[in-house]
Amino acid sequence: SHRRSPCPGRGNSHTWDRALCYFGFLGDSLRESRGIGKEVVKGGVGVSSASSTIYQSWPGKGEGLLNWSSDDSGVIHKVSSDQIEQLHRRFKQLSGNQPTIRKENFNNIPDLELNPIRSKIIRAFFDNRNLRKAPSGLADEINFEDFLTIMSYFRPIETNVGEEQLEHCRKEKLRFLFHMYDSDSDGRITLEEYRNVVEELLSGNPHIEKESARSIADGAMMEAASVCVGQMQPDQVYEGITFDDFLKIWQGIDIETKMHVRFLNMETIALCH
Amino acid sequence: PVHRALAFPAWGLLFLALWMLPRVLGMEENPEHNNHGNEGFQIVTFKWDHVQDPYIIALWILVASLAKIVFHLSHKVTSVVPESALLIVLGLILGGIVWAADHIASFTLTPTLFFFYLLPPIVLDAGYFMPNRLFFGNLGTILLYAVIGTVWNAATTGLSLYGVYLSGIMGELRIGLLDFLLFGSLIAAVDPVAVLAVFEEVHVNEVLFIIVFGESLLNDAVTVVLYNVFDSFVSLGADKVTGVDCVKGIVSFFVVSMGGTLIGVIFAFLLSLVTRFTKHVRIIEPGFVFIISYLSYLTSEMLSLSAILAITFCGMCCQKYVKANISEQSATTVRYTMKMLASGAETIIFMFLGISAVDPYIWTWNTAFILLTLVFISVYRVIGVVLQTWLLNKYRMVQLEIIDQVVMSYGGLRGAVAYALVVLLDENKVKEKNLFVSTTIIVVFFTVIFQGLTIKPLVQWLKVKKSEHREPKLNEKLHGRAFDHILSAIEDISGQIGHNYLRDKWSNFDRKVLSKLLMRRSAQKSRDRILNVFHELNLKDAISYVAEGERRGSLAFIRSPSTDNIVNVDFSTPRPSTVEASVSYLLRENVSTVCLDMQALEQRRRSIRDTEDTVTHHTLQQYLYKPRQEYKHLYSRHELTSNEDEKQDKEIFHRTMRKRLESFKSTKLGINQTKKTAKLYKRERGQKRRNSSIPNGKIPMESPTHDFAFKEKELEFSDPEETNEYEVEPMSGGIEFLASVTQDTATDSTTGKKSKGESANPKQDPPAGLKEELGGPGPKAPQEKRTLLNMHAHLRSAAARRVQSRRSFHRPKPLRYPKLQKLASLPQSCHILPHSLEQEETQL
């Protein structure tokens, strides 16, 4: 009974508990503000071994990205736990009340169909690198924790975090994007991969031919090379954009204000049919 | 564009002239004429009265413009003192002079002049160049500040003044609570003109700017409603105001703001639709933009809706479609004209604010009232901003820091809108109008001069995040686009209607319906942000390429690494026609050399006989010299004959080529002498890969199946005059050589489509064109040329390899020219698109 979910009757209480703990044990204040006893959380950790592994594998011990609630006003905490509830509801909706989601489940989202890079995005959800499970490959199905892990990449960065942490968050967010581009997980965005992405990006516009998309990708690649390498020897070959190069390209652009989704107003959910 | 831009000061004058017309009409009689009436016909008459008013207006404008020049002579002054403050001071001085001479304040800023002629250009400019995404991204914040903030300022200022008045400090005044509220409502609004004038020079970060500026634009509806409501209340009398009237006031706020916005959107729709069909009346195209948006202003003024909102939204909504529809030149005209009108209007406004202040009759001094007004508007602005920001920060992603709040509070400048409103007051109803007027003037002067002066040091001292102008980067745009899609997908997946969701839906709707309806077919294709950036970069590339060539006067620049900062991208954008137009336009703007070579004229006449109108896409050909004598004959009011003679281009092209060939000979010798030099070149080129590939982005190749291009070349070179100097023989040798290269590549692994595309290359690309020169009409033996080309090819391959990804194309069979081997591995960017080939075919 000490493992009672704070929101009883909300579906799969096991998953729910784990999810809560998943967020809970990262933010001490959340726990207190919600009045959840320590045992609850500890128990939760015990149960969800999977989440603790993720936690362990997370660089910086979960500071930042997974820490949804970091300042100490109670209002925000409540919102974030609401957010988890909402996301959980959504998860169940997508999965059809199953504990895991498969790729096919994403096809049920009507709004997603117009998205030109839909396949890339869906793939990112199953990418082991993003899920922090393996250095490459794709997962067949993801559970709610994984779902939250992906979602947490889009968590807004708190304003009052330190410089270091900000940099860390920034890197994590960029890593997500990088992984999306680097489809063969070799740590490099090659010209082929880049072209592929650009083609998909521009595929929304029926007037743009594939060829021009390619030449744009080539141009972008050259630009990237000149930004990252600068002077090149005549025989030097630019193999592709590495993650460090990627960071260089993004220098000066404040991604933290761009790459975030407002997980608020969850009541106004666009239901998937 | 310059020609057309010049047409527009006339408009400004026309507007002013219209305003003065009633006064002019009264002066039909010419005293001079009467005096000498019986002397018969006059050769020269002096009719000052006849032109007096427009003349004076023109003079004022001239003075204001000259003053601007003078201000900017000293960089020190303008970097410290904002221009608006300087103009006010100038106005005060000029007003003093006029007063000393005349003792009548004959020139004042009248509300009609201000609202009808001076304000619209400024607001239109603001709307038309509004960064829409930023604006709508912060719309909630802006609206809160604009609506709640303004109401708060108006109410607190009015009530506090009334409270103090009750305490008796101000002495006896014939005003009641409603008058105070009326005054509060007109003094509360932050002024767009003043904010723009000051913030443009401060360069705070864009979010901060858009919040303050957006607030100043959108608060107009609130100001209008509050002003009208209290004005009518004052005329009704305090005792007759009922609750119903208050409710009506609130309703009217919604009607005024929504109505104004709606009018703006409707007119924006009309404007976009009209510009879709202006293809054959390019010359008046820019006029539509101004006329229709001005009509939106007048219409909403007529319906007593918020005119500022109308014209702002008109500009904001139409910008995308209009910019896509009108030609590049018209776009430039619109841009310059709008800027010119706006900045001219701004100049006049501030100067006339100064001049208007010099009028002893309007001055009623009440120290307590004026000082307290100043204190109250500042204090309540701060309080209002802090309270609202506290509320907003709960919901905003990007928090507004304390520093931002300070700047926002301090940036609450009052300006000419308040002045014009206060002058509009009816003296019979508002007994203390003069006090209000003088207070408003003091407040405006204080905020514009004092706060305008100090805001810059304040921003520097607080280390407010400044805005930075950055070059458009292709990568940035691509990633940005990817981001938009990812974010909206995440919102879709997490199942919520967020900002990204809405934006995504809107852009889908826009693409599917609006763009199809409002954009030209050709424009629909090209309006893609990424393509635009790509296009821009290409242009820059081409321009600097040519500029570099011009500077050096030789081909040496091809080999040097000094053309950095340009991304070397493929020149074959999907819209050759647009590229051509804009390249030529930009080049013409940049290259100001005019050549009045007599030989050139002769050449031109001769070439007129040419019936074939071959359009070539060489960038080199694009910069043409126009012999002035000939140009005169082509005058037309309705057409701006841009590139009226392709033949002339061709001639100049030939001449340039000849010149370059001369200089090339010398360098070529150097290369052949030592291989070491060649290597050095190679290294040099390798240092910057992008510029190294500028000349190498394209390979000059002629496919045997498409020898039309080849023939055309021959035609070019075998011009009557040219043939005397060059033999056709070596040239064809060079081409043959090139053709064989193509064959190799074509049979290699690339598809036939590509080889097809390659054949179009020399026509499209400047580097290719240059190569042709080298390879083509050289008087030396073909052998030498071959080695040369080989070397070039080798250099090119070095660049190509670098561009190449690890997975290069398969090369199943060995190539004939080992040095050219790498050509086959050129990335596809080097191949032109198939459809551009089609384009060429049709032209031929």
Side-chain angles (χ1 to χ4, degrees), chain B residues 521-654:
Chain B
R521 208 167 290 278
S522 56
Q524 285 171 29
K525 192 188 268 187
S526 55
R527 285 314 282 191
D528 191 289
R529 257 196 1 258
I530 292 175
L531 274 184
N532 280 347
V533 174
F534 185 53
H535 173 61
E536 256 170 58
L537 292 172
N538 281 345
L539 274 188
K540 252 196 236 162
D541 199 354
I543 290 164
S544 62
Y545 180 82
V546 173
E548 187 70 18
E550 276 246 313
R551 199 170 64 77
R552 305 215 178 165
S554 82
L555 279 174
F557 71 94
I558 292 180
R559 266 169 254 105
S560 86
S562 64
T563 42
D564 38 15
N565 294 331
I566 336 123
V567 181
N568 168 40
V569 272
D570 188 359
F571 202 66
S572 57
T573 66
R575 343 156 245 172
S577 52
T578 331
V579 171
E580 188 232 332
S582 38
V583 167
S584 61
Y585 151 66
L586 278 163
L587 285 176
R588 251 171 248 143
E589 205 174 49
N590 280 9
V591 183
S592 50
T593 8
V594 175
C595 170
L596 279 174
D597 193 343
M598 284 323 285
Q599 206 197 353
L601 282 175
E602 225 167 47
Q603 268 279 310
R604 197 184 149 273
R605 271 194 210 102
R606 194 178 306 162
S607 53
I608 280 172
R609 276 175 283 142
D610 268 26
T611 44
E612 278 279 308
D613 183 25
T614 46
V615 180
T616 47
H617 290 263
H618 291 287
T619 317
L620 279 177
Q621 273 175 292
Q622 300 293 344
Y623 68 106
L624 52 139
Y625 316 85
K626 279 199 187 92
R628 230 173 255 150
Q629 297 95 315
E630 293 296 318
Y631 195 48
K632 261 182 206 158
H633 299 299
L634 299 167
Y635 172 80
S636 157
R637 187 179 311 194
H638 309 293
E639 295 294 329
L640 215 94
T641 37
S642 45
N643 35 6
E644 72 283 344
D645 40 3
E646 226 72 42
K647 303 299 172 308
Q648 190 187 334
D649 304 17
K650 205 187 276 175
E651 177 274 323
I652 289 158
F653 179 50
H654 282 256

Side-chain angles (χ1 to χ4, degrees), chain A residues 90 115 181 184 186 190 194 211 214 218-220 222-223 226 231-232 236 239 250 260 262 269, chain B residues 395 397 399 474-475 479 485 487 492-493 495-496 568-569 686-687 689-690 802 806-807 828-829 833:
Chain A
R90 178 69 177 173
N115 205 315
Y181 285 176
D184 65 354
D186 66 346
T190 56
Y194 209 166
E211 293 292 328
R214 282 178 162 230
D218 293 350
M222 287 189 197
E223 192 187 86
S226 69
Q231 302 204 335
M232 285 187 105
Q236 206 173 341
E239 305 254 312
W250 277 96
H260 60 65
R262 202 183 292 242
I269 273 186
Chain B
Y395 300 100
M397 284 286 140
Q399 303 277 297
L474 207 49
N475 275 305
H479 295 324
H485 288 307
L487 291 185
D492 289 340
I493 290 169
Q496 53 188 319
N568 168 40
V569 272
Q687 281 178 351
R689 56 184 299 291
R690 33 158 75 157
R802 264 169 269 130
R806 279 167 301 165
R807 302 169 208 163
Q828 271 149 3
S829 67
L833 313 173

Side-chain angles (χ1 to χ4, degrees), chain A residues 26-219:
Chain A
L26 296 170
D28 287 343
S29 47
L30 172 67
R31 213 181 302 149
E32 279 149 31
S33 75
R34 291 189 56 85
I36 305 166
K38 286 222 162 147
E39 317 76 29
V40 178
V41 173
K42 272 180 194 157
V45 175
V47 170
S48 64
S49 52
S51 60
S52 42
T53 28
I54 294 168
Y55 173 54
Q56 238 104 77
S57 68
W58 196 273
K61 294 289 176 203
E63 286 165 7
L65 255 168
L66 282 183
N67 190 355
W68 282 59
S69 48
S70 78
D71 72 24
D72 32 22
S73 87
V75 185
I76 293 175
H77 289 157
K78 218 171 170 196
V79 169
S80 46
S81 63
D82 281 350
Q83 287 173 354
I84 300 168
E85 271 176 48
Q86 291 284 358
L87 283 175
H88 187 237
R89 216 180 295 161
R90 178 69 177 173
F91 180 84
K92 282 198 303 174
Q93 204 177 34
L94 288 176
S95 64
N97 264 333
Q98 298 299 307
T100 57
I101 285 189
R102 307 184 69 82
K103 264 188 186 173
E104 301 84 73
N105 295 111
F106 283 100
N107 295 338
N108 299 338
I109 307 170
D111 293 323
L112 210 54
E113 258 162 46
L114 293 169
N115 205 315
I117 51 170
R118 182 173 59 117
S119 62
K120 286 245 179 313
I121 294 166
I122 295 177
R123 205 183 133 96
F125 270 78
F126 296 91
D127 196 320
N128 278 334
R129 288 171 296 171
N130 293 335
L131 297 170
R132 313 205 152 268
K133 284 181 174 161
S136 66
L138 290 178
D140 288 331
E141 46 184 25
I142 53 167
N143 57 19
F144 183 50
E145 284 163 30
D146 300 331
F147 188 70
L148 283 180
T149 309
I150 300 294
M151 285 298 176
S152 66
Y153 281 102
F154 297 92
R155 196 191 57 99
I157 297 177
E158 310 293 336
T159 45
N160 48 2
V161 294
E163 198 64 32
E164 224 171 278
Q165 212 167 341
L166 198 82
E167 194 52 41
H168 174 69
C169 293
R170 200 179 137 82
K171 260 191 187 165
E172 286 309 320
K173 277 166 189 281
L174 284 178
R175 210 179 283 276
F176 181 86
L177 196 65
F178 184 78
H179 288 162
M180 222 176 74
Y181 285 176
D182 179 24
S183 47
D184 65 354
S185 333
D186 66 346
R188 272 211 170 95
I189 304 171
T190 56
L191 186 59
E192 283 300 310
E193 283 164 348
Y194 209 166
R195 278 181 183 171
N196 198 328
V197 173
V198 174
E199 263 170 41
E200 276 188 34
L201 266 179
L202 295 174
S203 66
N205 188 340
H207 301 292
I208 299 177
E209 294 87 351
K210 267 201 169 172
E211 293 292 328
S212 48
R214 282 178 162 230
S215 58
I216 288 177
D218 293 350

Side-chain angles (χ1 to χ4, degrees), chain B residues 195 236 337:
Chain B
V195 165
L236 265 177
T337 312

